[in-house]
Amino acid sequence: MIIAYTDKAKDQLKAQEKAMLIQTTGHLWIREEVEGITDLQRQYNEYLDSFRDIICYAAQIYGFYHEIGKLSDNMGELNKQLRENGQGTFAVALTPRRNRIYRDLILGSVEIVNDIRQVCLSKTKMTEKQRIEIVLGIRPKLQVMNKKLQRLSRAVKYTSFSDIWAEIDERARPKANKSDIAKACMRRWKASGKR
């Protein structure tokens, strides 16, 4: 990409030199000179497009490094929570609702690795547009993975076996009837008062 950009920059400079020579000669413009200036403008537009592409790629690469840095920090925090909260690790694995984070992380990481493999290592033919779309799709996936890693760290830190039991028991226990509870309390109060 940088070699192609350098070649376009050299071509652009040569075309500008030709245009400057034409303007300094001071004679009437002929058709060839008009075509030369038009060609210069076209080359300059291509040069600007390639420069914009390089800037976009550089920004995207910086974004990848930033997200990967955050991913590394989040994985370190998760490892710390897994070491310090073995009960929470096991409790999160047992609850179906929280266990979904584990599955989502695994599937998300496989998807990111497949995208990187397809763009960088695969020998399949694809257009530059397809390649750019895949590359630009990796960063949002990294952002989602970072959020899920943070959620998993919090879940491991704050989940206990009592939380699991509360989830299981709550489904089995019937809904409380407040009037029955109040009547039972009144009966116990009257029985205690008669003694």
Side-chain angles (χ1 to χ4, degrees), residues 96-108:
R97 196 180 71 205
R98 292 183 180 116
N99 187 12
R100 189 176 12 192
I101 299 172
Y102 284 129
R103 290 188 312 245
D104 290 347
L105 278 171
I106 291 169
L107 293 175

Side-chain angles (χ1 to χ4, degrees), residues 7-168:
D7 291 341
K8 284 187 181 185
K10 287 178 185 175
D11 291 342
Q12 173 58 31
L13 289 173
K14 288 178 186 173
Q16 279 182 331
E17 286 176 6
K18 286 181 188 175
M20 288 170 48
L21 287 172
I22 290 173
Q23 289 177 354
T24 57
T25 55
H27 63 275
L28 295 176
W29 289 58
I30 58 174
R31 182 175 157 195
E32 295 161 357
E33 292 170 340
V34 171
E35 288 174 359
I37 295 296
T38 305
D39 187 46
L40 167 71
Q41 289 173 340
R42 183 185 51 76
Q43 286 180 358
Y44 188 66
N45 286 340
E46 289 174 2
Y47 165 75
L48 288 179
D49 288 343
S50 65
F51 183 70
R52 188 192 72 222
D53 291 344
I54 285 178
I55 296 298
C56 289
Y57 278 127
Q60 212 41 252
I61 289 169
Y62 174 76
F64 289 152
Y65 285 133
H66 177 71
E67 291 302 326
I68 289 171
K70 283 173 54 178
L71 187 71
S72 176
D73 293 343
N74 289 331
M75 291 178 97
E77 178 63 24
L78 178 62
N79 282 333
K80 176 185 167 197
Q81 293 305 325
L82 291 174
R83 272 193 317 272
E84 293 176 358
N85 301 304
Q87 177 186 2
T89 305
F90 195 56
V92 169
L94 289 178
T95 58
R97 196 180 71 205
R98 292 183 180 116
N99 187 12
R100 189 176 12 192
I101 299 172
Y102 284 129
R103 290 188 312 245
D104 290 347
L105 278 171
I106 291 169
L107 293 175
S109 64
V110 167
E111 192 174 339
I112 290 170
V113 168
N114 283 337
D115 285 348
I116 292 170
R117 183 180 297 138
Q118 185 177 4
V119 171
C120 299
L121 304 174
S122 177
K123 299 201 187 290
T124 59
K125 299 279 186 188
M126 63 174 72
T127 64
E128 190 64 27
K129 181 183 178 195
Q130 291 170 331
R131 187 178 308 279
I132 289 173
E133 286 174 354
I134 292 171
V135 168
L136 294 180
I138 292 173
R139 186 171 180 207
K141 291 175 185 175
L142 286 171
Q143 290 171 333
V144 169
M145 191 170 190
N146 275 322
K147 288 179 184 173
K148 289 188 179 185
L149 273 172
Q150 290 171 343
R151 279 184 56 210
L152 182 59
S153 293
R154 284 191 303 268
V156 166
K157 184 175 184 177
Y158 296 114
T159 303
S160 65
F161 286 119
S162 60
D163 295 328
I164 296 172
W165 183 251
E167 274 187 39
I168 294 169

